[in-house]
Amino acid sequence: MTTALDLALNAADGALRTLFAKPHASRTCPTVPAQATDLSAEDKALSGALMRVNHVGEVCAQALYAAQALGTRDPVLRKHFLDASREEGDHLAWTKDRLDELDARPSLLNPLWYAGAFGLGLVASRLGDRLSLGFVVETERQVEAHLASHLEHLPQGDHESRAIVAQMKDDEAHHARTAEDAGGVRLPAPVRLMMRSAAKVMTTVAQRI
């Protein structure tokens, strides 16, 4: 039987792996065959900044799912959160590898982003499973919209980054639908607005720091 201590230790291990270990993907990184990327210095810097934001989003996803898995008492729902976390782990690895290829660094504030997202996920889990799932639905829909905007702003010639972001967008839409099918309820409008405002602050800061 899984104990509270086991869950807490697993959550701590996940935090350390997310923040300090090299992530490894279970799926092959998306690519566009026969389309090589050749970027100017300006476009390379832009892609690096945008992919840093996307990497921060995946750091936060790991924190959110870990906290929600820790907070629920339903073993089936806990497995749902952990399975989603593993799928998001592919995104974490892809964005980190792409940052390396672009000679760009991750956000210096990743520990702060992780802690904040973990706290939000824990609060959401305490509100009940249906609201916790609703939090996932809203988060994933906002991330999907954010990734769609990145597809508009990434350099057209950055085929590698664009392929990664396109696959991530599809995966986030799937996670939202899965959480909704599992019983997630729509969050109140003020909560959705607060989430968008917090995300805007995070993406603006992460693009630079």
Side-chain angles (χ1 to χ4, degrees), residues 11 14-23 51-68 84-85 87-96 99 105-119 121 139-140 143 146 168 172 202 206 209:
L16 292 173
R17 289 178 182 275
T18 298
L19 294 171
F20 302 112
K22 178 177 174 57
M51 294 306 287
R52 176 163 50 250
V53 172
N54 293 330
H55 181 260
V56 166
E58 297 311 320
V59 168
C60 291
Q62 292 299 309
L64 286 169
Y65 281 124
Q68 290 175 288
S85 175
E87 292 178 9
E88 296 281 3
D90 290 341
H91 302 174
L92 185 72
W94 296 342
T95 52
K96 178 59 172 66
L99 283 174
R105 56 165 176 76
S107 172
L108 299 175
L109 301 179
N110 272 343
L112 177 63
W113 304 132
Y114 190 98
F118 191 92
T139 298
E140 298 290 21
V143 172
H146 160 81
M168 288 169 59
E172 306 301 357
M202 183 197 75
I209 303 176

Short mmCIF file of all heavy atoms in Angstrom, two decimals, residues 11 14-23 51-68 84-85 87-96 99 105-119 121 139-140 143 146 168 172 202 206 209:
data_model
loop_
_atom_site.label_atom_id
_atom_site.label_comp_id
_atom_site.label_asym_id
_atom_site.label_seq_id
_atom_site.Cartn_x
_atom_site.Cartn_y
_atom_site.Cartn_z
N ALA A 11 7.28 12.78 -4.57
CA ALA A 11 7.13 14.17 -5.00
C ALA A 11 8.46 14.92 -4.90
O ALA A 11 8.82 15.69 -5.79
CB ALA A 11 6.07 14.87 -4.17
N GLY A 14 10.71 13.75 -7.66
CA GLY A 14 10.30 14.35 -8.93
C GLY A 14 10.78 15.78 -9.07
O GLY A 14 11.19 16.21 -10.15
N ALA A 15 10.72 16.53 -7.97
CA ALA A 15 11.18 17.92 -8.01
C ALA A 15 12.67 17.99 -8.32
O ALA A 15 13.11 18.80 -9.16
CB ALA A 15 10.88 18.61 -6.68
N LEU A 16 13.45 17.16 -7.67
CA LEU A 16 14.89 17.17 -7.89
C LEU A 16 15.23 16.76 -9.32
O LEU A 16 16.11 17.34 -9.96
CB LEU A 16 15.58 16.24 -6.89
CG LEU A 16 15.53 16.68 -5.42
CD1 LEU A 16 16.09 15.60 -4.51
CD2 LEU A 16 16.30 17.98 -5.22
N ARG A 17 14.54 15.76 -9.82
CA ARG A 17 14.80 15.30 -11.19
C ARG A 17 14.43 16.38 -12.21
O ARG A 17 15.14 16.61 -13.19
CB ARG A 17 14.01 14.02 -11.48
CG ARG A 17 14.53 12.80 -10.75
CD ARG A 17 13.68 11.57 -11.05
NE ARG A 17 14.13 10.40 -10.32
CZ ARG A 17 15.10 9.59 -10.73
NH1 ARG A 17 15.71 9.83 -11.88
NH2 ARG A 17 15.45 8.56 -10.01
N THR A 18 13.29 17.03 -11.98
CA THR A 18 12.84 18.06 -12.91
C THR A 18 13.81 19.23 -12.95
O THR A 18 14.13 19.75 -14.03
CB THR A 18 11.44 18.57 -12.50
OG1 THR A 18 10.51 17.48 -12.56
CG2 THR A 18 10.97 19.69 -13.42
N LEU A 19 14.29 19.65 -11.79
CA LEU A 19 15.10 20.86 -11.70
C LEU A 19 16.58 20.64 -11.97
O LEU A 19 17.26 21.54 -12.45
CB LEU A 19 14.91 21.51 -10.33
CG LEU A 19 13.50 22.05 -10.04
CD1 LEU A 19 13.38 22.46 -8.58
CD2 LEU A 19 13.19 23.23 -10.96
N PHE A 20 17.09 19.44 -11.64
CA PHE A 20 18.54 19.28 -11.66
C PHE A 20 19.07 18.12 -12.49
O PHE A 20 20.28 18.04 -12.74
CB PHE A 20 19.05 19.13 -10.21
CG PHE A 20 18.67 20.29 -9.33
CD1 PHE A 20 17.77 20.14 -8.30
CD2 PHE A 20 19.19 21.56 -9.57
CE1 PHE A 20 17.41 21.21 -7.48
CE2 PHE A 20 18.84 22.64 -8.77
CZ PHE A 20 17.95 22.46 -7.72
N ALA A 21 18.22 17.22 -12.94
CA ALA A 21 18.68 16.08 -13.74
C ALA A 21 18.37 16.31 -15.21
O ALA A 21 17.47 17.08 -15.56
CB ALA A 21 18.02 14.79 -13.26
N LYS A 22 19.12 15.64 -16.06
CA LYS A 22 18.85 15.73 -17.50
C LYS A 22 17.60 14.91 -17.81
O LYS A 22 17.55 13.71 -17.53
CB LYS A 22 20.02 15.20 -18.31
CG LYS A 22 19.77 15.23 -19.83
CD LYS A 22 20.99 14.78 -20.61
CE LYS A 22 20.67 14.66 -22.10
NZ LYS A 22 20.15 15.93 -22.67
N PRO A 23 16.57 15.53 -18.40
CA PRO A 23 15.35 14.79 -18.70
C PRO A 23 15.52 13.88 -19.91
O PRO A 23 16.29 14.19 -20.83
CB PRO A 23 14.33 15.89 -18.98
CG PRO A 23 15.14 17.04 -19.48
CD PRO A 23 16.46 16.96 -18.75
N MET A 51 11.50 29.20 -26.60
CA MET A 51 11.61 27.84 -26.11
C MET A 51 11.95 27.80 -24.62
O MET A 51 11.60 26.84 -23.92
CB MET A 51 12.65 27.06 -26.92
CG MET A 51 12.25 26.84 -28.38
SD MET A 51 10.61 26.07 -28.59
CE MET A 51 10.99 24.38 -28.09
N ARG A 52 12.59 28.84 -24.11
CA ARG A 52 12.81 28.93 -22.66
C ARG A 52 11.48 29.04 -21.94
O ARG A 52 11.26 28.41 -20.90
CB ARG A 52 13.71 30.12 -22.33
CG ARG A 52 13.89 30.31 -20.83
CD ARG A 52 15.07 31.20 -20.47
NE ARG A 52 15.06 32.45 -21.20
CZ ARG A 52 15.93 32.77 -22.16
NH1 ARG A 52 16.88 31.91 -22.52
NH2 ARG A 52 15.87 33.93 -22.78
N VAL A 53 10.58 29.84 -22.48
CA VAL A 53 9.24 29.97 -21.90
C VAL A 53 8.53 28.61 -21.92
O VAL A 53 7.89 28.20 -20.94
CB VAL A 53 8.41 31.03 -22.65
CG1 VAL A 53 6.96 31.02 -22.17
CG2 VAL A 53 9.02 32.41 -22.45
N ASN A 54 8.63 27.91 -23.04
CA ASN A 54 7.98 26.61 -23.15
C ASN A 54 8.57 25.60 -22.17
O ASN A 54 7.85 24.76 -21.60
CB ASN A 54 8.08 26.08 -24.58
CG ASN A 54 7.27 26.92 -25.55
OD1 ASN A 54 6.26 27.50 -25.19
ND2 ASN A 54 7.73 27.02 -26.79
N HIS A 55 9.88 25.69 -21.97
CA HIS A 55 10.52 24.80 -20.99
C HIS A 55 10.02 25.11 -19.58
O HIS A 55 9.75 24.19 -18.80
CB HIS A 55 12.05 24.96 -21.08
CG HIS A 55 12.80 24.08 -20.12
ND1 HIS A 55 13.30 24.54 -18.92
CD2 HIS A 55 13.13 22.76 -20.19
CE1 HIS A 55 13.90 23.55 -18.30
NE2 HIS A 55 13.81 22.46 -19.03
N VAL A 56 9.87 26.39 -19.25
CA VAL A 56 9.31 26.76 -17.95
C VAL A 56 7.91 26.18 -17.79
O VAL A 56 7.54 25.67 -16.72
CB VAL A 56 9.26 28.30 -17.79
CG1 VAL A 56 8.38 28.70 -16.61
CG2 VAL A 56 10.66 28.85 -17.60
N GLY A 57 7.12 26.23 -18.85
CA GLY A 57 5.79 25.66 -18.79
C GLY A 57 5.81 24.19 -18.45
O GLY A 57 4.95 23.69 -17.70
N GLU A 58 6.80 23.47 -18.97
CA GLU A 58 6.90 22.04 -18.68
C GLU A 58 7.41 21.78 -17.27
O GLU A 58 7.03 20.79 -16.63
CB GLU A 58 7.79 21.36 -19.72
CG GLU A 58 7.24 21.44 -21.13
CD GLU A 58 5.78 21.04 -21.22
OE1 GLU A 58 5.39 20.06 -20.54
OE2 GLU A 58 5.01 21.70 -21.93
N VAL A 59 8.28 22.65 -16.76
CA VAL A 59 8.69 22.56 -15.36
C VAL A 59 7.46 22.72 -14.47
O VAL A 59 7.26 21.96 -13.51
CB VAL A 59 9.74 23.65 -15.04
CG1 VAL A 59 9.96 23.77 -13.52
CG2 VAL A 59 11.07 23.32 -15.72
N CYS A 60 6.62 23.69 -14.78
CA CYS A 60 5.40 23.92 -14.01
C CYS A 60 4.43 22.75 -14.14
O CYS A 60 3.75 22.39 -13.16
CB CYS A 60 4.72 25.21 -14.46
SG CYS A 60 5.64 26.71 -14.02
N ALA A 61 4.35 22.15 -15.32
CA ALA A 61 3.45 21.00 -15.51
C ALA A 61 3.87 19.84 -14.61
O ALA A 61 3.01 19.17 -14.01
CB ALA A 61 3.46 20.57 -16.98
N GLN A 62 5.17 19.60 -14.51
CA GLN A 62 5.65 18.55 -13.62
C GLN A 62 5.25 18.83 -12.19
O GLN A 62 4.83 17.93 -11.44
CB GLN A 62 7.17 18.41 -13.74
CG GLN A 62 7.67 17.89 -15.07
CD GLN A 62 7.16 16.50 -15.37
OE1 GLN A 62 7.26 15.58 -14.56
NE2 GLN A 62 6.56 16.33 -16.55
N ALA A 63 5.37 20.09 -11.77
CA ALA A 63 5.02 20.47 -10.40
C ALA A 63 3.53 20.32 -10.15
O ALA A 63 3.10 19.79 -9.11
CB ALA A 63 5.47 21.90 -10.13
N LEU A 64 2.72 20.79 -11.08
CA LEU A 64 1.27 20.73 -10.92
C LEU A 64 0.79 19.29 -10.78
O LEU A 64 0.01 18.95 -9.87
CB LEU A 64 0.57 21.40 -12.11
CG LEU A 64 0.63 22.92 -12.16
CD1 LEU A 64 0.14 23.42 -13.52
CD2 LEU A 64 -0.22 23.53 -11.05
N TYR A 65 1.22 18.43 -11.69
CA TYR A 65 0.75 17.05 -11.66
C TYR A 65 1.27 16.31 -10.43
O TYR A 65 0.56 15.49 -9.85
CB TYR A 65 1.15 16.33 -12.94
CG TYR A 65 0.27 16.64 -14.12
CD1 TYR A 65 0.79 17.15 -15.31
CD2 TYR A 65 -1.11 16.44 -14.05
CE1 TYR A 65 -0.03 17.43 -16.39
CE2 TYR A 65 -1.94 16.73 -15.13
CZ TYR A 65 -1.39 17.22 -16.29
OH TYR A 65 -2.21 17.51 -17.35
N ALA A 66 2.51 16.60 -10.03
CA ALA A 66 3.05 15.96 -8.83
C ALA A 66 2.24 16.36 -7.60
O ALA A 66 1.92 15.52 -6.74
CB ALA A 66 4.52 16.35 -8.64
N ALA A 67 1.89 17.64 -7.50
CA ALA A 67 1.12 18.12 -6.35
C ALA A 67 -0.29 17.53 -6.35
O ALA A 67 -0.82 17.14 -5.30
CB ALA A 67 1.06 19.64 -6.36
N GLN A 68 -0.90 17.47 -7.52
CA GLN A 68 -2.26 16.93 -7.58
C GLN A 68 -2.29 15.43 -7.32
O GLN A 68 -3.23 14.93 -6.71
CB GLN A 68 -2.89 17.28 -8.92
CG GLN A 68 -3.19 18.78 -9.04
CD GLN A 68 -3.70 19.17 -10.41
OE1 GLN A 68 -2.94 19.20 -11.37
NE2 GLN A 68 -4.98 19.47 -10.50
N ALA A 84 -0.12 11.52 -16.89
CA ALA A 84 -0.03 12.79 -17.61
C ALA A 84 1.34 13.43 -17.38
O ALA A 84 1.93 14.01 -18.30
CB ALA A 84 -1.14 13.73 -17.17
N SER A 85 1.85 13.30 -16.16
CA SER A 85 3.17 13.86 -15.85
C SER A 85 4.25 13.21 -16.69
O SER A 85 5.17 13.89 -17.18
CB SER A 85 3.46 13.67 -14.36
OG SER A 85 4.77 14.09 -14.05
N GLU A 87 3.87 11.88 -19.65
CA GLU A 87 3.75 12.39 -21.02
C GLU A 87 4.32 13.80 -21.14
O GLU A 87 4.99 14.13 -22.13
CB GLU A 87 2.28 12.37 -21.43
CG GLU A 87 1.71 10.96 -21.59
CD GLU A 87 0.24 10.97 -21.95
OE1 GLU A 87 -0.29 12.06 -22.24
OE2 GLU A 87 -0.38 9.89 -21.95
N GLU A 88 4.07 14.62 -20.12
CA GLU A 88 4.64 15.97 -20.13
C GLU A 88 6.15 15.93 -20.00
O GLU A 88 6.86 16.86 -20.40
CB GLU A 88 4.04 16.80 -18.98
CG GLU A 88 2.56 17.06 -19.06
CD GLU A 88 2.20 18.18 -20.02
OE1 GLU A 88 3.12 18.73 -20.66
OE2 GLU A 88 1.01 18.51 -20.13
N GLY A 89 6.68 14.82 -19.43
CA GLY A 89 8.13 14.67 -19.33
C GLY A 89 8.81 14.65 -20.69
O GLY A 89 9.96 15.08 -20.82
N ASP A 90 8.10 14.16 -21.71
CA ASP A 90 8.65 14.22 -23.06
C ASP A 90 8.84 15.67 -23.48
O ASP A 90 9.88 16.04 -24.06
CB ASP A 90 7.71 13.54 -24.05
CG ASP A 90 7.68 12.03 -23.89
OD1 ASP A 90 8.61 11.48 -23.29
OD2 ASP A 90 6.71 11.40 -24.37
N HIS A 91 7.86 16.51 -23.19
CA HIS A 91 7.95 17.93 -23.53
C HIS A 91 9.12 18.59 -22.81
O HIS A 91 9.84 19.41 -23.37
CB HIS A 91 6.66 18.66 -23.16
CG HIS A 91 5.44 18.12 -23.80
ND1 HIS A 91 4.17 18.58 -23.50
CD2 HIS A 91 5.27 17.17 -24.76
CE1 HIS A 91 3.28 17.93 -24.22
NE2 HIS A 91 3.92 17.07 -24.99
N LEU A 92 9.31 18.21 -21.55
CA LEU A 92 10.42 18.77 -20.77
C LEU A 92 11.75 18.43 -21.43
O LEU A 92 12.63 19.29 -21.57
CB LEU A 92 10.38 18.21 -19.34
CG LEU A 92 11.39 18.78 -18.35
CD1 LEU A 92 11.04 20.21 -17.97
CD2 LEU A 92 11.47 17.90 -17.10
N ALA A 93 11.89 17.18 -21.86
CA ALA A 93 13.14 16.76 -22.49
C ALA A 93 13.32 17.42 -23.86
O ALA A 93 14.42 17.89 -24.19
CB ALA A 93 13.15 15.23 -22.65
N TRP A 94 12.27 17.48 -24.65
CA TRP A 94 12.37 18.08 -25.98
C TRP A 94 12.76 19.55 -25.89
O TRP A 94 13.62 20.01 -26.65
CB TRP A 94 11.05 17.96 -26.73
CG TRP A 94 10.60 16.56 -27.02
CD1 TRP A 94 11.37 15.43 -27.03
CD2 TRP A 94 9.27 16.13 -27.35
NE1 TRP A 94 10.60 14.34 -27.34
CE2 TRP A 94 9.32 14.73 -27.54
CE3 TRP A 94 8.06 16.80 -27.50
CZ2 TRP A 94 8.18 13.99 -27.88
CZ3 TRP A 94 6.92 16.07 -27.84
CH2 TRP A 94 6.99 14.68 -28.03
N THR A 95 12.11 20.29 -24.99
CA THR A 95 12.41 21.72 -24.91
C THR A 95 13.80 21.96 -24.36
O THR A 95 14.49 22.90 -24.79
CB THR A 95 11.36 22.46 -24.05
OG1 THR A 95 11.22 21.80 -22.78
CG2 THR A 95 10.01 22.48 -24.75
N LYS A 96 14.24 21.13 -23.42
CA LYS A 96 15.60 21.30 -22.88
C LYS A 96 16.63 21.01 -23.96
O LYS A 96 17.61 21.76 -24.12
CB LYS A 96 15.81 20.37 -21.70
CG LYS A 96 17.23 20.44 -21.10
CD LYS A 96 17.58 21.85 -20.63
CE LYS A 96 18.89 21.89 -19.87
NZ LYS A 96 20.05 21.57 -20.70
N LEU A 99 16.75 23.90 -26.35
CA LEU A 99 17.48 25.03 -25.78
C LEU A 99 18.98 24.84 -25.96
O LEU A 99 19.70 25.78 -26.31
CB LEU A 99 17.15 25.18 -24.29
CG LEU A 99 15.80 25.82 -23.93
CD1 LEU A 99 15.59 25.75 -22.42
CD2 LEU A 99 15.74 27.27 -24.41
N ARG A 105 19.83 29.14 -22.51
CA ARG A 105 19.76 28.53 -21.18
C ARG A 105 18.32 28.45 -20.70
O ARG A 105 17.47 29.23 -21.12
CB ARG A 105 20.58 29.36 -20.18
CG ARG A 105 20.13 30.81 -20.14
CD ARG A 105 20.66 31.54 -18.93
NE ARG A 105 20.27 32.95 -18.98
CZ ARG A 105 19.06 33.40 -18.71
NH1 ARG A 105 18.11 32.54 -18.38
NH2 ARG A 105 18.78 34.69 -18.78
N PRO A 106 18.06 27.53 -19.76
CA PRO A 106 16.74 27.52 -19.11
C PRO A 106 16.59 28.76 -18.23
O PRO A 106 17.55 29.48 -17.96
CB PRO A 106 16.78 26.25 -18.25
CG PRO A 106 17.90 25.43 -18.80
CD PRO A 106 18.90 26.41 -19.34
N SER A 107 15.38 28.99 -17.77
CA SER A 107 15.13 30.12 -16.87
C SER A 107 15.91 29.96 -15.57
O SER A 107 15.96 28.86 -14.99
CB SER A 107 13.64 30.22 -16.56
OG SER A 107 13.41 31.19 -15.56
N LEU A 108 16.50 31.03 -15.12
CA LEU A 108 17.22 31.01 -13.85
C LEU A 108 16.27 30.88 -12.66
O LEU A 108 16.69 30.58 -11.54
CB LEU A 108 18.04 32.30 -13.69
CG LEU A 108 19.12 32.53 -14.76
CD1 LEU A 108 19.77 33.90 -14.56
CD2 LEU A 108 20.17 31.42 -14.72
N LEU A 109 15.00 31.11 -12.92
CA LEU A 109 14.00 31.09 -11.84
C LEU A 109 13.22 29.78 -11.79
O LEU A 109 12.16 29.72 -11.14
CB LEU A 109 13.03 32.27 -12.02
CG LEU A 109 13.65 33.66 -12.03
CD1 LEU A 109 12.57 34.72 -12.26
CD2 LEU A 109 14.39 33.93 -10.72
N ASN A 110 13.71 28.74 -12.42
CA ASN A 110 12.96 27.48 -12.47
C ASN A 110 12.58 26.94 -11.08
O ASN A 110 11.46 26.46 -10.91
CB ASN A 110 13.74 26.42 -13.26
CG ASN A 110 13.43 26.49 -14.74
OD1 ASN A 110 12.44 27.09 -15.16
ND2 ASN A 110 14.28 25.89 -15.55
N PRO A 111 13.46 27.01 -10.08
CA PRO A 111 13.03 26.55 -8.74
C PRO A 111 11.84 27.33 -8.21
O PRO A 111 10.95 26.76 -7.58
CB PRO A 111 14.29 26.75 -7.88
CG PRO A 111 15.42 26.66 -8.84
CD PRO A 111 14.92 27.30 -10.10
N LEU A 112 11.82 28.63 -8.49
CA LEU A 112 10.70 29.45 -8.05
C LEU A 112 9.42 29.08 -8.80
O LEU A 112 8.35 28.95 -8.19
CB LEU A 112 11.03 30.93 -8.27
CG LEU A 112 9.92 31.93 -7.93
CD1 LEU A 112 9.59 31.87 -6.45
CD2 LEU A 112 10.34 33.35 -8.32
N TRP A 113 9.54 28.91 -10.12
CA TRP A 113 8.37 28.51 -10.90
C TRP A 113 7.84 27.17 -10.41
O TRP A 113 6.62 26.99 -10.30
CB TRP A 113 8.71 28.41 -12.39
CG TRP A 113 9.29 29.62 -13.04
CD1 TRP A 113 10.40 29.67 -13.85
CD2 TRP A 113 8.80 30.98 -12.97
NE1 TRP A 113 10.62 30.95 -14.27
CE2 TRP A 113 9.67 31.78 -13.75
CE3 TRP A 113 7.73 31.58 -12.31
CZ2 TRP A 113 9.49 33.14 -13.90
CZ3 TRP A 113 7.55 32.95 -12.45
CH2 TRP A 113 8.43 33.72 -13.24
N TYR A 114 8.73 26.24 -10.15
CA TYR A 114 8.30 24.91 -9.69
C TYR A 114 7.57 25.01 -8.36
O TYR A 114 6.49 24.43 -8.19
CB TYR A 114 9.52 23.97 -9.56
CG TYR A 114 9.13 22.53 -9.33
CD1 TYR A 114 9.10 21.62 -10.38
CD2 TYR A 114 8.78 22.07 -8.05
CE1 TYR A 114 8.72 20.30 -10.18
CE2 TYR A 114 8.39 20.75 -7.83
CZ TYR A 114 8.37 19.87 -8.90
OH TYR A 114 7.99 18.56 -8.70
N ALA A 115 8.14 25.75 -7.42
CA ALA A 115 7.53 25.88 -6.10
C ALA A 115 6.15 26.51 -6.19
O ALA A 115 5.19 26.05 -5.54
CB ALA A 115 8.43 26.69 -5.18
N GLY A 116 6.01 27.55 -7.00
CA GLY A 116 4.72 28.21 -7.14
C GLY A 116 3.67 27.31 -7.76
O GLY A 116 2.53 27.25 -7.29
N ALA A 117 4.07 26.57 -8.81
CA ALA A 117 3.13 25.67 -9.48
C ALA A 117 2.74 24.51 -8.55
O ALA A 117 1.58 24.07 -8.55
CB ALA A 117 3.74 25.14 -10.77
N PHE A 118 3.70 24.02 -7.78
CA PHE A 118 3.41 22.93 -6.85
C PHE A 118 2.39 23.40 -5.81
O PHE A 118 1.44 22.67 -5.48
CB PHE A 118 4.69 22.45 -6.16
CG PHE A 118 4.52 21.18 -5.39
CD1 PHE A 118 4.76 19.95 -5.98
CD2 PHE A 118 4.13 21.20 -4.05
CE1 PHE A 118 4.60 18.76 -5.27
CE2 PHE A 118 3.97 20.02 -3.33
CZ PHE A 118 4.20 18.80 -3.95
N GLY A 119 2.58 24.61 -5.32
CA GLY A 119 1.63 25.15 -4.36
C GLY A 119 0.23 25.28 -4.93
O GLY A 119 -0.77 24.92 -4.28
N GLY A 121 -1.02 23.54 -7.42
CA GLY A 121 -1.56 22.20 -7.62
C GLY A 121 -2.06 21.58 -6.33
O GLY A 121 -3.09 20.90 -6.30
N THR A 139 -5.89 24.86 -17.28
CA THR A 139 -4.45 25.05 -17.48
C THR A 139 -4.03 24.58 -18.87
O THR A 139 -3.33 25.29 -19.60
CB THR A 139 -3.65 24.27 -16.42
OG1 THR A 139 -3.96 24.79 -15.11
CG2 THR A 139 -2.15 24.41 -16.66
N GLU A 140 -4.47 23.39 -19.25
CA GLU A 140 -4.06 22.83 -20.53
C GLU A 140 -4.63 23.64 -21.70
O GLU A 140 -3.97 23.80 -22.72
CB GLU A 140 -4.49 21.37 -20.64
CG GLU A 140 -3.86 20.44 -19.60
CD GLU A 140 -2.38 20.21 -19.83
OE1 GLU A 140 -1.71 21.02 -20.51
OE2 GLU A 140 -1.86 19.21 -19.33
N VAL A 143 -2.49 26.69 -21.98
CA VAL A 143 -1.19 26.33 -22.56
C VAL A 143 -1.33 26.07 -24.05
O VAL A 143 -0.47 26.49 -24.85
CB VAL A 143 -0.61 25.09 -21.85
CG1 VAL A 143 0.63 24.58 -22.59
CG2 VAL A 143 -0.27 25.41 -20.41
N HIS A 146 -1.45 29.33 -25.73
CA HIS A 146 -0.11 29.93 -25.67
C HIS A 146 0.81 29.33 -26.73
O HIS A 146 1.54 30.05 -27.42
CB HIS A 146 0.45 29.70 -24.26
CG HIS A 146 1.92 29.82 -24.15
ND1 HIS A 146 2.58 31.03 -24.06
CD2 HIS A 146 2.90 28.88 -24.12
CE1 HIS A 146 3.88 30.82 -23.99
NE2 HIS A 146 4.09 29.53 -24.03
N MET A 168 3.50 19.44 -28.99
CA MET A 168 3.11 19.79 -27.63
C MET A 168 1.68 20.32 -27.59
O MET A 168 0.90 19.97 -26.70
CB MET A 168 4.09 20.83 -27.07
CG MET A 168 5.46 20.28 -26.74
SD MET A 168 6.68 21.58 -26.37
CE MET A 168 5.91 22.42 -24.98
N GLU A 172 -1.33 18.78 -25.34
CA GLU A 172 -2.03 19.54 -24.30
C GLU A 172 -3.54 19.50 -24.52
O GLU A 172 -4.32 19.39 -23.57
CB GLU A 172 -1.56 21.00 -24.28
CG GLU A 172 -0.05 21.22 -24.16
CD GLU A 172 0.57 20.61 -22.91
OE1 GLU A 172 -0.16 20.05 -22.09
OE2 GLU A 172 1.79 20.70 -22.75
N MET A 202 4.41 35.08 -15.69
CA MET A 202 5.44 34.05 -15.80
C MET A 202 6.09 34.04 -17.18
O MET A 202 7.32 34.01 -17.30
CB MET A 202 4.84 32.68 -15.51
CG MET A 202 5.86 31.55 -15.52
SD MET A 202 5.10 29.92 -15.66
CE MET A 202 4.63 29.90 -17.39
N ALA A 206 9.94 34.88 -17.80
CA ALA A 206 10.76 33.74 -18.24
C ALA A 206 11.41 33.96 -19.59
O ALA A 206 12.48 33.43 -19.88
CB ALA A 206 9.91 32.47 -18.27
N ILE A 209 14.52 36.05 -18.24
CA ILE A 209 15.36 35.58 -17.13
C ILE A 209 15.32 34.05 -17.02
O ILE A 209 14.24 33.50 -16.83
CB ILE A 209 14.89 36.19 -15.80
CG1 ILE A 209 14.91 37.71 -15.88
CG2 ILE A 209 15.78 35.72 -14.65
CD1 ILE A 209 14.38 38.40 -14.65
#
